[in-house]
mmCIF file of all heavy atoms in Angstrom:
data_model
loop_
_atom_site.group_PDB
_atom_site.id
_atom_site.type_symbol
_atom_site.label_atom_id
_atom_site.label_comp_id
_atom_site.label_asym_id
_atom_site.label_seq_id
_atom_site.Cartn_x
_atom_site.Cartn_y
_atom_site.Cartn_z
ATOM 1 N N GLY A 252 56.467 188.306 63.203
ATOM 2 C CA GLY A 252 56.206 189.151 64.359
ATOM 3 C C GLY A 252 54.914 189.916 64.187
ATOM 4 O O GLY A 252 54.494 190.211 63.059
ATOM 5 N N LYS A 253 54.250 190.228 65.256
ATOM 6 C CA LYS A 253 53.021 191.019 65.178
ATOM 7 C C LYS A 253 53.310 192.343 64.474
ATOM 8 O O LYS A 253 54.246 193.051 64.827
ATOM 9 C CB LYS A 253 52.468 191.283 66.578
ATOM 10 C CG LYS A 253 52.008 190.033 67.308
ATOM 11 C CD LYS A 253 51.526 190.367 68.720
ATOM 12 C CE LYS A 253 51.104 189.111 69.473
ATOM 13 N NZ LYS A 253 50.698 189.410 70.867
ATOM 14 N N GLY A 254 52.475 192.679 63.502
ATOM 15 C CA GLY A 254 52.706 193.870 62.701
ATOM 16 C C GLY A 254 52.156 195.132 63.342
ATOM 17 O O GLY A 254 51.280 195.799 62.789
ATOM 18 N N ARG A 255 52.700 195.449 64.511
ATOM 19 C CA ARG A 255 52.293 196.670 65.207
ATOM 20 C C ARG A 255 53.447 197.151 66.076
ATOM 21 O O ARG A 255 54.485 196.490 66.167
ATOM 22 C CB ARG A 255 51.040 196.409 66.040
ATOM 23 C CG ARG A 255 51.168 195.289 67.048
ATOM 24 C CD ARG A 255 49.822 194.845 67.577
ATOM 25 N NE ARG A 255 49.939 194.030 68.782
ATOM 26 C CZ ARG A 255 49.006 193.204 69.214
ATOM 27 N NH1 ARG A 255 47.870 193.098 68.537
ATOM 28 N NH2 ARG A 255 49.169 192.508 70.331
ATOM 29 N N LYS A 256 53.251 198.285 66.728
ATOM 30 C CA LYS A 256 54.366 198.927 67.431
ATOM 31 C C LYS A 256 54.914 198.098 68.582
ATOM 32 O O LYS A 256 56.082 198.234 68.944
ATOM 33 C CB LYS A 256 53.941 200.313 67.918
ATOM 34 C CG LYS A 256 53.733 201.313 66.788
ATOM 35 C CD LYS A 256 53.385 202.692 67.303
ATOM 36 C CE LYS A 256 53.225 203.675 66.148
ATOM 37 N NZ LYS A 256 52.863 205.043 66.630
ATOM 38 N N ASP A 257 54.082 197.244 69.182
ATOM 39 C CA ASP A 257 54.583 196.408 70.264
ATOM 40 C C ASP A 257 54.987 195.011 69.776
ATOM 41 O O ASP A 257 55.252 194.125 70.577
ATOM 42 C CB ASP A 257 53.550 196.285 71.387
ATOM 43 C CG ASP A 257 52.253 195.636 70.933
ATOM 44 O OD1 ASP A 257 52.058 195.467 69.715
ATOM 45 O OD2 ASP A 257 51.421 195.300 71.799
ATOM 46 N N GLY A 258 55.072 194.821 68.458
ATOM 47 C CA GLY A 258 55.529 193.556 67.907
ATOM 48 C C GLY A 258 57.034 193.396 68.098
ATOM 49 O O GLY A 258 57.789 194.378 68.120
ATOM 50 N N ALA A 259 57.472 192.165 68.220
ATOM 51 C CA ALA A 259 58.879 191.897 68.530
ATOM 52 C C ALA A 259 59.834 192.382 67.448
ATOM 53 O O ALA A 259 60.991 192.711 67.732
ATOM 54 C CB ALA A 259 59.074 190.400 68.762
ATOM 55 N N LEU A 260 59.376 192.433 66.201
ATOM 56 C CA LEU A 260 60.256 192.825 65.100
ATOM 57 C C LEU A 260 60.137 194.296 64.723
ATOM 58 O O LEU A 260 60.796 194.749 63.786
ATOM 59 C CB LEU A 260 59.951 191.965 63.857
ATOM 60 C CG LEU A 260 60.183 190.465 63.993
ATOM 61 C CD1 LEU A 260 59.895 189.772 62.667
ATOM 62 C CD2 LEU A 260 61.600 190.169 64.450
ATOM 63 N N HIS A 261 59.345 195.056 65.462
ATOM 64 C CA HIS A 261 59.046 196.423 65.038
ATOM 65 C C HIS A 261 60.290 197.304 64.931
ATOM 66 O O HIS A 261 60.339 198.214 64.104
ATOM 67 C CB HIS A 261 58.034 197.070 65.987
ATOM 68 C CG HIS A 261 57.559 198.416 65.517
ATOM 69 N ND1 HIS A 261 56.726 198.562 64.426
ATOM 70 C CD2 HIS A 261 57.820 199.674 65.965
ATOM 71 C CE1 HIS A 261 56.479 199.843 64.231
ATOM 72 N NE2 HIS A 261 57.134 200.534 65.144
ATOM 73 N N GLU A 262 61.289 197.031 65.735
ATOM 74 C CA GLU A 262 62.498 197.862 65.718
ATOM 75 C C GLU A 262 63.384 197.574 64.507
ATOM 76 O O GLU A 262 64.316 198.332 64.212
ATOM 77 C CB GLU A 262 63.315 197.625 66.981
ATOM 78 C CG GLU A 262 63.910 196.227 67.090
ATOM 79 C CD GLU A 262 64.639 195.990 68.398
ATOM 80 O OE1 GLU A 262 63.960 195.700 69.398
ATOM 81 O OE2 GLU A 262 65.870 196.106 68.410
ATOM 82 N N VAL A 263 63.119 196.479 63.793
ATOM 83 C CA VAL A 263 63.962 196.075 62.674
ATOM 84 C C VAL A 263 63.385 196.629 61.372
ATOM 85 O O VAL A 263 62.203 196.458 61.081
ATOM 86 C CB VAL A 263 64.040 194.538 62.587
ATOM 87 C CG1 VAL A 263 65.039 194.118 61.501
ATOM 88 C CG2 VAL A 263 64.425 193.940 63.931
ATOM 89 N N MET A 358 54.820 195.056 57.937
ATOM 90 C CA MET A 358 53.505 195.678 57.903
ATOM 91 C C MET A 358 53.255 196.594 59.087
ATOM 92 O O MET A 358 52.386 197.473 59.033
ATOM 93 C CB MET A 358 52.434 194.602 57.813
ATOM 94 C CG MET A 358 52.595 193.719 56.582
ATOM 95 S SD MET A 358 51.341 192.432 56.436
ATOM 96 C CE MET A 358 49.915 193.398 55.936
ATOM 97 N N GLY A 359 54.025 196.405 60.157
ATOM 98 C CA GLY A 359 53.912 197.296 61.300
ATOM 99 C C GLY A 359 54.662 198.596 61.118
ATOM 100 O O GLY A 359 54.438 199.562 61.857
ATOM 101 N N ARG A 360 55.564 198.638 60.148
ATOM 102 C CA ARG A 360 56.361 199.834 59.885
ATOM 103 C C ARG A 360 55.906 200.558 58.615
ATOM 104 O O ARG A 360 55.964 201.784 58.538
ATOM 105 C CB ARG A 360 57.842 199.459 59.768
ATOM 106 C CG ARG A 360 58.459 198.887 61.038
ATOM 107 C CD ARG A 360 59.911 198.509 60.820
ATOM 108 N NE ARG A 360 60.713 199.652 60.438
ATOM 109 C CZ ARG A 360 61.396 200.430 61.297
ATOM 110 N NH1 ARG A 360 61.364 200.165 62.589
ATOM 111 N NH2 ARG A 360 62.108 201.438 60.851
ATOM 112 N N PRO A 362 52.633 200.632 56.478
ATOM 113 C CA PRO A 362 51.250 200.135 56.461
ATOM 114 C C PRO A 362 50.786 199.701 55.075
ATOM 115 O O PRO A 362 51.099 200.341 54.065
ATOM 116 C CB PRO A 362 50.437 201.340 56.967
ATOM 117 C CG PRO A 362 51.419 202.151 57.754
ATOM 118 C CD PRO A 362 52.734 201.984 57.045
ATOM 119 N N GLU A 443 54.943 184.910 66.406
ATOM 120 C CA GLU A 443 54.414 185.641 67.560
ATOM 121 C C GLU A 443 52.906 185.850 67.511
ATOM 122 O O GLU A 443 52.265 186.061 68.541
ATOM 123 C CB GLU A 443 55.128 186.999 67.630
ATOM 124 C CG GLU A 443 54.755 187.873 68.799
ATOM 125 C CD GLU A 443 55.430 189.231 68.728
ATOM 126 O OE1 GLU A 443 55.674 189.743 67.612
ATOM 127 O OE2 GLU A 443 55.713 189.789 69.801
ATOM 128 N N ILE A 497 48.063 190.524 60.284
ATOM 129 C CA ILE A 497 49.010 191.553 59.853
ATOM 130 C C ILE A 497 50.306 191.365 60.645
ATOM 131 O O ILE A 497 50.324 191.530 61.864
ATOM 132 C CB ILE A 497 48.419 192.954 60.077
ATOM 133 C CG1 ILE A 497 47.208 193.160 59.150
ATOM 134 C CG2 ILE A 497 49.470 194.032 59.843
ATOM 135 C CD1 ILE A 497 46.472 194.458 59.381
ATOM 136 N N ASP A 499 54.990 191.032 60.457
ATOM 137 C CA ASP A 499 56.277 191.345 59.834
ATOM 138 C C ASP A 499 57.023 190.044 59.578
ATOM 139 O O ASP A 499 56.917 189.093 60.367
ATOM 140 C CB ASP A 499 57.129 192.218 60.765
ATOM 141 C CG ASP A 499 56.423 193.501 61.185
ATOM 142 O OD1 ASP A 499 55.681 194.057 60.356
ATOM 143 O OD2 ASP A 499 56.635 193.941 62.330
#
Side-chain angles (χ1 to χ4, degrees):
K253 295 178 182 177
R255 57 195 195 201
K256 291 183 178 179
D257 61 349
L260 298 182
H261 187 71
E262 67 184 81
V263 186
M358 301 180 74
R360 296 178 60 93
E443 183 184 32
I497 294 175
D499 304 325

